[in-house]
Amino acid sequence: MIIPIFFIFSLLIHKSYANIPFDYCVGDMSLPSGPAGYACKHPAKLTVDDFVYSGLNIPGTVSKILKFNASNAFAAEFPALNGMGISATRVDIDVGGFFPAHAHRVSELFIIIKGTIIAGFIDTNNTPFYKTLKKGDIMIFPPSLLHFVVNVGSTPVTAYASFASENPGVQLIDTALFRNNLPSELVEKITLLDHKQVQKLKKVFGGTN
């Protein structure tokens, strides 16, 4: 019985590592990226510092509008993640602030370090799943689903998120609709907002037309 179990286990391990036929591929940021990521920096030029990133040590500057900041450690910021299928973000939210509805291409694991939030997502049946989370709580956001975070406490929030990709992408509903040159008349039709509301939001988020 042990031998078949060991055999199956070894196959699973082999399969999980078969997709990574290299030890690492630190991105060469002097070259352009493509759909498959960055070209690899020559191993002879690497040091341990290439595998360390300190950009998430301190809070980022929160926005005046939403009162939040996301500091990313994606492949573009941390080239050692290139090809590794993982990345991270630090989130800082002031009192009364929020991370608006948005989506990523991949799943996200969200952990609260400090503060109190309401976090949730909405599935494709339009069913909301949300809960108040405190220090040490973790929540998973499935890939491509809209999700959000709101600071409902009396102190600033610090949280970290990890992603199943070195470049998970992000699309916020607000910036997608109002930070571009999509004609206001079209935005009004697809959002049911009136002209004044659309113009106001375009001004807030930097859109035109």
Side-chain angles (χ1 to χ4, degrees):
M1 185 66 179
I2 294 178
I3 293 177
I5 293 175
F6 178 77
F7 178 69
I8 293 172
F9 182 65
S10 64
L11 284 177
L12 291 173
I13 293 177
H14 174 73
K15 184 177 180 180
S16 66
Y17 282 93
N19 295 325
I20 308 179
F22 51 84
D23 290 335
Y24 44 76
C25 177
V26 177
D28 187 340
M29 308 309 286
S30 67
L31 299 174
S33 65
Y38 294 91
C40 303
K41 192 174 180 180
H42 196 287
K45 297 181 179 180
L46 299 176
T47 70
V48 67
D49 289 335
D50 287 292
F51 300 94
V52 177
Y53 183 69
S54 301
L56 305 186
N57 284 345
I58 58 176
T61 302
V62 299
S63 72
K64 294 181 180 180
I65 301 173
L66 307 178
K67 299 183 179 180
F68 90 93
N69 179 76
S71 301
N72 297 325
F74 299 165
E77 295 81 20
F78 188 13
L81 298 182
N82 186 49
M84 292 294 158
I86 193 171
S87 59
T89 290
R90 172 178 176 146
V91 175
D92 294 286
I93 312 176
D94 278 351
V95 176
F98 60 99
F99 202 151
H102 64 286
H104 307 282
R105 290 187 286 263
V106 297
S107 55
E108 173 184 352
L109 192 64
F110 198 82
I111 180 170
I112 311 304
I113 304 301
K114 181 180 67 174
T116 303
I117 65 171
I118 291 179
F121 65 90
I122 303 168
D123 72 9
T124 54
N125 293 316
N126 293 321
T127 302
F129 296 87
Y130 62 97
K131 189 172 183 178
T132 300
L133 305 178
K134 297 183 179 181
K135 179 180 177 180
D137 288 336
I138 296 175
M139 187 169 188
I140 184 72
F141 300 132
S144 76
L145 297 183
L146 290 172
H147 54 283
F148 55 87
V149 176
V150 180
N151 184 345
V152 294
S154 58
T155 61
V157 164
T158 301
Y160 287 89
S162 63
F163 302 91
S165 170
E166 65 270 27
N167 183 24
V170 60
Q171 186 174 40
L172 279 72
I173 292 178
D174 297 314
T175 54
L177 288 171
F178 306 112
R179 187 184 289 174
N180 53 45
N181 63 353
L182 198 63
S184 294
E185 294 79 9
L186 187 55
V187 177
E188 292 160 25
K189 288 184 179 295
I190 64 177
T191 61
L192 301 181
L193 297 174
D194 63 35
H195 185 72
K196 286 186 177 180
Q197 290 172 317
V198 170
Q199 289 295 301
K200 177 182 178 180
L201 290 167
K202 277 183 171 282
K203 184 176 180 181
V204 168
F205 289 100
T208 60
N209 202 7

